[in-house]
């Protein structure tokens, strides 16, 4: 039968010693115990990129490259047109003294270009 330390008779030294030793062993175990939850940082982080995010990123890059190609093509056509106009002006017959050079130019050209840019890119040119 188990008994508490205060119930022991004064003469039972073996029981007192046994209780004292078990109590000290219990306190030692409490001192050396540690938590069961591991709060330390993980050795490696498992960061996964979702397939949806990668797909969206790829789509954005494709859209940017296609827009860049369109812009380059438009710049090429503009450069070709301006060089052709310059060549037409320089290839004309020599002017007589006092003759002025007149180039056919539309009065509405700037407004048309501005409308074209606004409709394609969504912003106005100055």
């Amino acid at each position: 039968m188990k008994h508490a330390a205060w119930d022991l008779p004064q003469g039972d030294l073996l029981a007192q010693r046994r209780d004292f030793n078990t109590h000290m062993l219990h306190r030692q175990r409490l001192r050396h115990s540690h938590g069961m939850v591991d709060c330390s940082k993980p050795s490696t982080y498992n960061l996964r990129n979702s397939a949806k995010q990668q797909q969206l990123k790829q789509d954005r890059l494709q859209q940017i490259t296609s827009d860049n190609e369109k812009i380059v093509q438009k710049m090429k056509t503009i450069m070709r047109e301006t060089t052709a106009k310059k060549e037409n002006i320089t290839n004309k017959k020599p002017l007589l003294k006092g003759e002025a050079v007149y180039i056919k130019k539309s009065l509405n050209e700037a407004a048309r270009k501005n409308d074209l840019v606004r409709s394609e890119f969504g912003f106005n040119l100055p």
Side-chain angles (χ1 to χ4, degrees):
M1 178 173 139
K2 291 191 174 186
H3 54 273
W6 57 87
D7 289 342
L8 291 176
Q10 291 294 338
D12 197 0
L13 287 175
L14 289 176
Q16 285 179 355
R17 193 177 294 156
R18 184 183 63 235
D19 286 345
F20 179 75
N21 286 339
T22 55
H23 180 68
M24 285 298 148
L25 184 63
H26 169 71
R27 291 190 57 152
Q28 182 182 8
R29 286 178 181 158
L30 285 177
R31 252 184 269 123
H32 295 297
S33 68
H34 55 81
M36 297 300 291
V37 177
D38 183 18
C39 294
S40 64
K41 66 178 184 177
S43 58
T44 59
Y45 294 101
N46 189 7
L47 298 176
R48 293 183 296 169
N49 290 333
S50 68
K52 183 68 175 178
Q53 288 175 344
Q54 288 177 350
Q55 181 65 35
L56 289 173
K57 188 176 181 180
Q58 256 183 348
D59 291 343
R60 278 192 306 254
L61 290 175
Q62 286 177 351
Q63 181 67 30
I64 290 169
T65 54
S66 66
D67 289 344
N68 287 344
E69 288 174 2
K70 287 179 185 177
I71 291 170
V72 167
Q73 290 299 323
K74 288 180 183 181
M75 290 175 65
K76 283 182 181 178
T77 56
I78 290 170
M79 291 300 291
R80 272 192 238 119
E81 289 173 1
T82 55
T83 55
K85 284 181 183 178
K86 287 179 185 176
E87 287 175 0
N88 286 341
I89 292 170
T90 58
N91 291 339
K92 288 191 176 183
K93 64 180 182 174
L95 298 175
L96 300 174
K97 189 174 185 181
E99 258 188 275
V101 177
Y102 292 104
I103 302 170
K104 283 188 174 182
K105 184 173 180 183
S106 172
L107 298 176
N108 197 21
E109 183 179 3
R112 281 188 290 113
K113 282 185 180 178
N114 199 4
D115 288 341
L116 179 67
V117 169
R118 188 178 331 124
S119 65
E120 288 184 9
F121 298 109
F123 59 86
N124 291 331
L125 288 176

